[in-house]
Amino acid sequence: NAGVTQTPKFQVLKTGQSMTLQCAQDMNHNSMYWYRQDPGMGLRLIYYSASEGTTDKGEVPNGYNVSRLNKREFSLRLESAAPSQTSVYFCASSEAGGQGSYGYTFGSGTRLTVV
Amino acid sequence: SQQGEEDPQALSIQEGENATMNCSYKTSINNLQWYRQNSGRGLVHLILIRSNEREKHSGRLRVTLDTSKKSSSLLITASRAADTASYFCATGQGKLTFGQGTILTVHP
């Protein structure tokens, strides 16, 4: 009953470094999402994947790329980290996207600090 | 842009009291969801209410939806210290937009 697994849980990067945040779900969900959470800003959608093979930009995609590797895995890449990307990153999945709406299952988050 | 806005931003109550949080949104919706987030953890889905529903219950949770006022409320009855968390409303088709949340503190 793992649900959504995110790795790593914590990461410190230097400005300009790159890294990939990993996310995997074992619920056979079609849709997956990446959000960032900043104090006073709530959760903001970075990218999402409505189904395997598709990805779309969310509200704050600049500075990020994503890969939907297969139905289970959805990774988020920071090519050149900036201090403004210091945040807590959450991956989530849901049963379906598009016209349907279902509850999300969230991972436990990755706390990223860029110095 | 935030579709949902929670009110109040923070709420402090004693154990056993009821807690009411409100959410207002701007555009038409098909459904509205509520989530809980304990400190340092991911969000947990609590309840989904569809636009043709006015009220929904789940254990000690009661959610109402008033589409004419574009608002929803979450009531937690007989609160417990373990209910201390942030609560978020969310709207959207497929991809959700979250409000900024209400921080609830329940004192033992």
Side-chain angles (χ1 to χ4, degrees), chain A residues 3-42:
Chain A
V4 177
T5 302
Q6 290 184 237
T7 56
K9 293 190 184 305
F10 301 93
Q11 184 71 49
V12 178
L13 289 179
K14 294 182 179 178
T15 297
Q17 286 186 319
S18 62
M19 79 161 294
T20 300
L21 282 66
Q22 306 287 353
C23 175
Q25 52 93 7
D26 61 3
M27 296 167 287
N28 203 36
H29 284 168
N30 287 316
S31 301
M32 298 185 74
Y33 314 85
W34 277 105
Y35 286 84
R36 60 179 287 174
Q37 184 176 33
D38 303 292
M41 299 292 291

Side-chain angles (χ1 to χ4, degrees), chain B:
Chain B
S1 62
Q2 300 293 333
Q3 163 74 313
E5 295 290 338
E6 288 91 345
D7 172 65
Q9 290 188 325
L11 181 60
S12 181
I13 60 174
Q14 296 295 127
E15 231 176 3
E17 294 180 340
N18 295 340
T20 299
M21 290 157 271
N22 303 297
C23 170
S24 60
Y25 56 91
K26 297 173 183 171
T27 61
S28 297
I29 60 170
N30 288 325
N31 64 78
L32 185 143
Q33 303 183 32
W34 284 92
Y35 288 78
R36 182 188 75 232
Q37 183 181 33
N38 291 91
S39 181
R41 308 292 292 273
L43 281 73
V44 174
H45 180 252
L46 295 175
I47 198 163
L48 182 154
I49 185 166
R50 303 197 185 278
S51 60
N52 60 355
E53 297 175 308
R54 292 295 168 259
E55 189 171 310
K56 199 163 183 179
H57 296 255
S58 177
R60 293 183 297 111
L61 305 181
R62 173 180 167 241
V63 170
T64 61
L65 180 64
D66 186 336
T67 54
S68 67
K69 295 181 179 178
K70 292 188 170 60
S71 68
S72 173
S73 68
L74 171 66
L75 168 67
I76 304 174
T77 60
S79 63
R80 305 166 182 169
D83 294 327
T84 294
S86 294
Y87 292 82
F88 296 87
C89 65
T91 60
Q93 286 288 87
K95 56 186 176 82
L96 294 179
T97 300
F98 289 82
Q100 295 186 19
T102 293
I103 301 171
L104 173 66
T105 303
V106 182
H107 300 280

